[in-house]
Amino acid sequence: MISLGIEGTAHTLGVGIVSEENVLSNITDSYCSDGGIHPREAADHHASVIGKIMENSLSEAGIKKEDIDLISFSMGPGLGPCLRIVASAARSLSINLNIPIIGVNHCVAHIEIGRFITGAKDPVTLYVSGGNTQILAYAEKKYRVFGETLDIGIGNMQDTFGRELEIGFPCGKEIDLLANKGQNYLELPYSIKGMDFSFSGLLTESIKKLKTNRQEDVTFSIMETAYSLVVEASERAMSHTEKNELLLTGGVASSKRLKDMCSLMCLERDAAFFIPPPSLCRDNGAMIAYQGLLEYTNGRRMKIEETVIKQKWRTDEVEVNWI
Ligand code: FE2
């Protein structure tokens, strides 16, 4: 069975094609701006590139659109205008090709492509991106949220801080380079409440510190603090659930420092650490295609009228029918 997945929850439009055994193609194109994401502009970007990205994805997979058996799309959570573009494209493909459609949860898709590609069996997942920062693990038919940000995502914090430094958007790589040059750790708010954490106080204080300190030292300190928070909460989730695998995913998973911290924590706990390749960590169509395939082959069916987008669709609202 061949599934084509369309991702478009935020700034990336992706089209991926998977079979039950392999990722056949995975093409993305991202909206860039100096001022963060403007939802309608991002949606316009998606609408303008989707045709080309679809063509490229089919040609990389070496198939025609008539070979596709299933259409999957990111139904939420995400930005309304972006989700609507993707849902419309998916519905028209499903109707034109007369094949089934499945709308999937973006966060769950990150976890499942991670398990598929790395071989992790039952991990605690640390999902770090612009809009989302969550610690997730499977229990009794749901991916439960064991900890999450109470305000902004870690990537959102990073991008807002990057704008203060005037280094564009998205700015993860530049932030990492600057942080590597930092030498002095500056004391900053370390906000963790039980298993949840917050980043906005850390962001505000870091911006203030830029007035009197080296950029490199403030960048080093804000990222060191943010990463420590999420790794601490992940370790507690592993201890609480007695799971001995950690899966790191999401756009911010490309940070070398975060990977090192996770890897060290796992080493100390005698746990296994998994991280998918960058193209499958960041937002992409292959993970959506794979998630749809997983749900469809395990019996899920959706009528077109049920494919309504869910901007605030929580991970723990999805009934897991494939484990
Ligand atoms: Fe994501």
Side-chain angles (χ1 to χ4, degrees):
M1 184 168 206
I2 291 182
S3 168
L4 178 140
I6 315 173
E7 156 62 27
T9 53
H11 66 291
T12 298
L13 189 281
V15 178
I17 299 172
V18 306
S19 67
E20 269 135 315
E21 295 82 34
N22 282 314
V23 173
L24 305 176
S25 69
N26 193 22
I27 310 275
T28 57
D29 193 289
S30 293
Y31 153 84
C32 294
S33 105
D34 288 339
I37 301 184
H38 187 298
R40 205 158 303 149
E41 282 179 17
D44 287 346
H45 162 269
H46 296 354
S48 69
V49 301
I50 194 164
K52 190 76 203 150
I53 299 295
M54 188 98 55
E55 257 176 50
N56 292 348
S57 197
L58 285 165
S59 104
E60 187 173 290
I63 61 165
K64 299 194 193 74
K65 56 180 193 291
E66 292 71 29
D67 299 325
I68 304 164
D69 302 301
L70 175 72
I71 300 293
S72 314
F73 74 99
S74 55
M75 200 160 77
L79 304 170
C82 301
L83 292 172
R84 271 178 222 111
I85 293 289
V86 166
S88 304
R91 286 181 205 123
S92 71
L93 269 174
S94 162
I95 292 167
N96 284 331
L97 297 169
N98 194 25
I99 53 174
I101 182 168
I102 299 277
V104 305
N105 181 291
H106 172 94
C107 310
V108 171
H110 269 296
I111 302 174
E112 288 303 337
I113 195 75
R115 287 179 62 218
F116 176 57
I117 283 301
T118 65
K121 287 187 178 65
D122 183 20
V124 164
T125 298
L126 172 56
Y127 168 33
V128 278
S129 71
N132 299 289
T133 301
Q134 292 184 318
I135 294 157
L136 306 158
Y138 178 79
E140 294 174 11
K141 289 287 164 199
K142 296 245 168 105
Y143 275 110
R144 314 276 167 180
V145 181
F146 282 85
E148 65 186 322
T149 177
L150 296 172
D151 45 34
I152 52 175
I154 198 166
N156 190 324
M157 179 203 78
Q158 205 174 40
D159 289 330
T160 310
F161 184 72
R163 272 209 297 286
E164 291 293 319
L165 303 175
E166 298 179 348
I167 51 177
F169 163 84
C171 61
K173 258 186 210 154
E174 287 78 3
I175 290 271
D176 255 14
L177 288 173
L178 262 181
N180 278 341
K181 293 182 195 150
Q183 286 156 349
N184 302 308
Y185 180 79
L186 310 163
E187 199 142 318
L188 288 167
Y190 190 88
S191 307
I192 186 156
K193 296 162 187 167
M195 290 294 290
D196 296 329
F197 29 83
S198 72
F199 299 115
S200 57
L202 171 62
L203 172 63
T204 307
E205 192 57 29
S206 301
I207 292 172
K208 271 192 210 156
K209 287 235 182 322
L210 281 174
K211 291 186 185 130
T212 48
N213 295 278
R214 288 172 68 233
Q215 279 191 354
E216 292 84 347
D217 287 340
V218 184
T219 310
F220 165 68
S221 305
I222 184 176
M223 295 322 299
E224 201 71 6
T225 308
Y227 293 155
S228 302
L229 285 171
V230 293
V231 174
E232 178 186 330
S234 302
E235 179 167 24
R236 271 197 259 148
M238 291 170 79
S239 167
H240 174 70
T241 57
E242 296 183 350
K243 295 188 194 278
N244 61 1
E245 296 176 328
L246 179 71
L247 175 70
L248 175 64
T249 192
V252 181
S254 57
S255 160
K256 184 177 178 305
R257 179 64 183 139
L258 178 57
K259 279 185 247 182
D260 289 349
M261 275 193 193
C262 289
S263 156
L264 184 63
M265 182 268 276
C266 286
L267 192 71
E268 285 175 354
R269 293 187 62 78
D270 203 14
F273 175 48
F274 298 94
I275 176 162
S279 62
L280 294 173
C281 267
R282 58 179 172 253
D283 292 354
N284 66 88
M287 70 180 196
I288 302 298
Y290 179 70
Q291 184 61 33
L293 187 79
L294 209 50
E295 296 191 26
Y296 186 83
T297 51
N298 283 283
R300 183 151 295 154
R301 300 291 181 268
M302 262 187 198
K303 295 185 185 129
I304 288 283
E305 53 271 31
E306 291 169 330
T307 59
V308 181
I309 62 157
K310 297 180 183 178
Q311 290 184 61
K312 295 195 186 305
W313 196 7
R314 282 182 61 82
T315 316
D316 50 11
E317 286 167 0
V318 177
E319 196 70 40
V320 173
N321 71 340
W322 57 92
I323 295 178

